[in-house]
Amino acid sequence: MNNFDIRATINDVPHRASVEPRLSLLDFLRDDIGLGGTHMGCEHGVCGACSVLLDGVPIRACLMLAVQADGCRITTVEGLCNDDGTPGLLQDAFIEAHGMQCGYCTPGMLISAQALLAENDEPTLAEIKDAIGGNLCRCTGYVQIIESIQLAARRLREAAR
Amino acid sequence: MKPAKFEYLRAESIDQVVQALDQGDGETIVLAGGQTLMPMLAMRLARPAMVVDINHVAELSGVEILNEVEGDGELVIMACTRQAEALASPLIQEHAPLLSKAIAFVGHRQTRNRGTVGGSLAHADPASEIPLAALALDAWVSLRSVAGTRRLPLADYFHGPMMTARAENEILLSLHIPRAPGTRGAGFHEVSERRGDFAVVAAAAVIGVDERGVCDHAALAIGGADGRPRRIGAVEDKLRGQRLDSVAIAGQLSEIGAALAPGADQHAGAAYRLRVARVLAERALLEALAEAGP
Ligand code: FES
Ligand code: FES
């Protein structure tokens, strides 16, 4: 079984790697690149904890092979931080509005919310629910997650003014 | 939860795909959006020797109108077109609004950004939305092997749960939806545990009404209440030629049960599925009628 050489830009950093075909993008990010922020929940496309942005749109990293990421631009939850490594605007809102309890679903929630807010900084409740519909949370009951996203949206609008 | 080893081929052309399938002895599998295949690989329900990735075959994605003559012709959706692209496609919204409505129920953003129209048709889950809408639209699929291309109406394509007429050496190339004359209305309704989950039962309907207000086209299809999506011809026949309103529609739905053989699973029993099929059929037909307008 041959390995494949791939190049991908991950959180704005170019990477080269040699990967086995069966390696998932999720395992690649966590084990090979060392970015453990992307969580592994179900490993078969149900929970959304593994969500990342692929060329700007949210996808599930467990449902893609690493070899398929060749030539792609990937953003993980680590990529949502400020340049100095402190929590970004969205992450800050989750901290402030208690958008997490155990934190397992949080990276996926943040990625879904990021994708939503990038195209719509005034989302309705229904649009927020739709955006995080593919992300399961076993702790919060979702209410505080939605409030966190609303808080982030408000701050984005204020910042744009 | 890790796939067994396999060889990987990133195909660049359809010819390359069908050649790999032909030499594969049934051990070669096509990877499109991966939203079904990747879990099957992870759970080792699928253990192919070779995975052929079609995501870089440019000719396998896109939506267009073909053979257009005086408003006739067909809407062609190439197999590897992402569900998200199809959902946003103005051509599909204009010429097959039923399909747009159906895709809105398919999965979530993360899965629609990768999942493909052809993938849903190839997988053929009896409750899935794209096959159901396509069946109600009298659509065809094209299948290609090294020997050539054949076209099959969807009624002949679905054989049972996750079973289709596609041979192991064929790739599902495209979905073809005939363009309909006049304005037709479309309705799609489903019951699922949560939005984006697989439907327990779903109904798709298309209604056409002539200038006298008489129904000249009726299509009704039910998913999730049999081993494959089913057209309900007996109801369609009764609706055609009538002046339709809510009373007329409600009065013609008694034959739905005879056309279906629902199973039972952890989500719902057979009796529930039949009852819900009837309710959803009524809603889908009313929605289609309201859009058709005389
Ligand atoms: S780990 Fe990918 S969806 Fe659960
Ligand atoms: S905070 Fe625990 S799963 Fe969401």
Side-chain angles (χ1 to χ4, degrees):
Chain A
M1 309 279 160
N2 294 327
N3 272 25
F4 284 78
D5 290 328
I6 62 166
R7 290 161 189 262
T9 303
I10 304 168
N11 300 334
D12 293 327
V13 180
H15 286 269
R16 297 183 62 158
S18 167
V19 297
E20 214 191 337
R22 63 170 168 163
L23 184 72
S24 74
L25 176 60
L26 175 59
D27 282 336
F28 172 68
L29 291 170
R30 289 175 57 85
D31 301 340
D32 293 26
I33 304 297
L35 292 171
T38 305
H39 283 175
M40 175 187 291
C42 62
E43 271 193 285
H44 64 281
V46 177
C47 69
C50 65
S51 301
V52 298
L53 299 178
L54 177 80
D55 295 327
V57 300
I59 62 131
R60 291 176 166 166
C62 70
L63 295 186
M64 192 168 156
L65 300 170
V67 58
Q68 295 185 286
D70 185 30
C72 293
R73 198 164 42 81
I74 291 159
T75 307
T76 68
V77 68
E78 288 92 342
L80 304 186
C81 294
N82 297 323
D83 289 342
D84 63 1
T86 55
L89 183 150
L90 178 61
Q91 292 161 316
D92 227 23
F94 267 66
I95 296 169
E96 197 170 320
H98 305 285
M100 79 205 81
Q101 288 181 25
C102 79
Y104 210 91
C105 68
T106 314
M109 290 289 180
L110 288 165
I111 289 291
S112 293
Q114 177 76 18
L116 170 71
L117 295 178
E119 57 186 41
N120 176 3
D121 67 2
E122 215 169 343
T124 62
L125 179 60
E127 285 167 337
I128 294 176
K129 284 187 179 174
D130 183 60
I132 61 168
N135 298 84
L136 295 182
C137 176
R138 299 284 81 154
C139 305
T140 61
Y142 301 97
V143 174
Q144 289 140 260
I145 293 174
I146 291 166
E147 287 169 357
S148 302
I149 297 170
Q150 287 168 330
L151 175 62
R154 202 155 58 236
R155 290 192 174 154
L156 272 177
R157 293 197 299 273
E158 279 161 12
R161 247 191 250 134
Chain B
M1 295 300 288
K2 308 291 177 198
K5 292 189 180 214
F6 52 76
E7 300 279 354
Y8 171 84
L9 173 70
R10 183 206 262 211
E12 307 284 346
S13 71
I14 295 171
D15 284 343
Q16 216 184 346
V17 179
V18 291
Q19 264 154 29
L21 286 173
D22 203 62
Q23 289 153 12
D25 258 344
E27 294 287 311
T28 296
I29 201 160
V30 168
L31 172 61
Q35 304 303 292
T36 306
L37 181 57
M38 285 293 291
M40 287 172 69
L41 291 172
M43 292 187 270
R44 303 201 178 191
L45 294 171
R47 296 186 67 149
M50 155 88 83
V51 167
V52 181
D53 184 352
I54 61 169
N55 285 279
H56 295 272
V57 184
E59 42 185 340
L60 273 178
S61 98
V63 181
E64 60 178 336
I65 301 276
L66 270 193
N67 307 325
E68 189 170 13
V69 203
E70 292 173 7
D72 241 1
E74 58 185 22
L75 178 68
V76 182
I77 305 168
M78 297 308 292
C80 209
T81 306
R82 310 269 171 218
Q83 291 155 2
E85 272 170 64
L87 186 59
S89 160
L91 273 182
I92 297 181
Q93 276 158 19
E94 184 184 345
H95 300 292
L98 179 67
L99 189 60
S100 299
K101 288 186 180 187
I103 297 174
F105 285 93
V106 177
H108 308 282
R109 274 188 194 207
Q110 294 104 310
T111 62
R112 287 195 298 267
N113 281 332
R114 292 294 295 167
T116 65
V117 171
S120 297
L121 290 162
H123 183 52
D125 186 291
S128 83
E129 291 88 356
I130 291 172
L132 181 65
L135 182 68
L137 289 166
D138 300 310
W140 300 62
V141 285
S142 279
L143 303 166
R144 165 92 57 97
S145 71
V146 283
T149 306
R150 62 181 177 132
R151 279 174 65 130
L152 267 186
L154 279 185
D156 300 333
Y157 168 77
F158 296 116
H159 283 181
M162 287 50 137
M163 285 181 283
T164 69
R166 188 179 61 83
E168 275 171 347
N169 69 341
E170 286 177 315
I171 178 176
L172 194 152
L173 210 58
S174 45
L175 175 67
H176 302 251
I177 299 172
R179 280 181 73 188
T183 45
R184 288 179 178 174
F188 194 97
H189 280 268
E190 73 173 42
V191 166
S192 59
E193 285 177 8
R194 297 167 312 156
R195 176 100 190 179
D197 283 352
F198 267 112
V200 175
V201 180
V206 183
I207 294 279
V209 175
D210 68 15
E211 53 300 338
R212 296 166 302 145
V214 173
C215 171
D216 61 4
H217 178 83
L220 174 63
I222 302 286
D226 207 329
R228 52 182 147 146
R230 288 282 187 192
R231 284 285 288 265
I232 315 292
V235 172
E236 295 172 357
D237 291 344
K238 289 195 169 162
L239 296 176
R240 240 175 273 123
Q242 273 205 56
R243 236 169 246 287
L244 296 182
D245 57 22
S246 55
V247 179
I249 286 176
Q252 304 300 350
L253 297 176
S254 53
E255 318 232 351
I256 282 188
L260 299 169
D265 62 13
Q266 72 272 30
H267 300 293
Y272 173 84
R273 283 174 199 271
L274 276 185
R275 206 165 72 228
V276 170
R278 188 174 166 151
V279 172
L280 293 174
E282 187 172 347
R283 287 181 195 164
L285 286 165
L286 285 174
E287 183 185 345
L289 177 64
E291 267 188 18

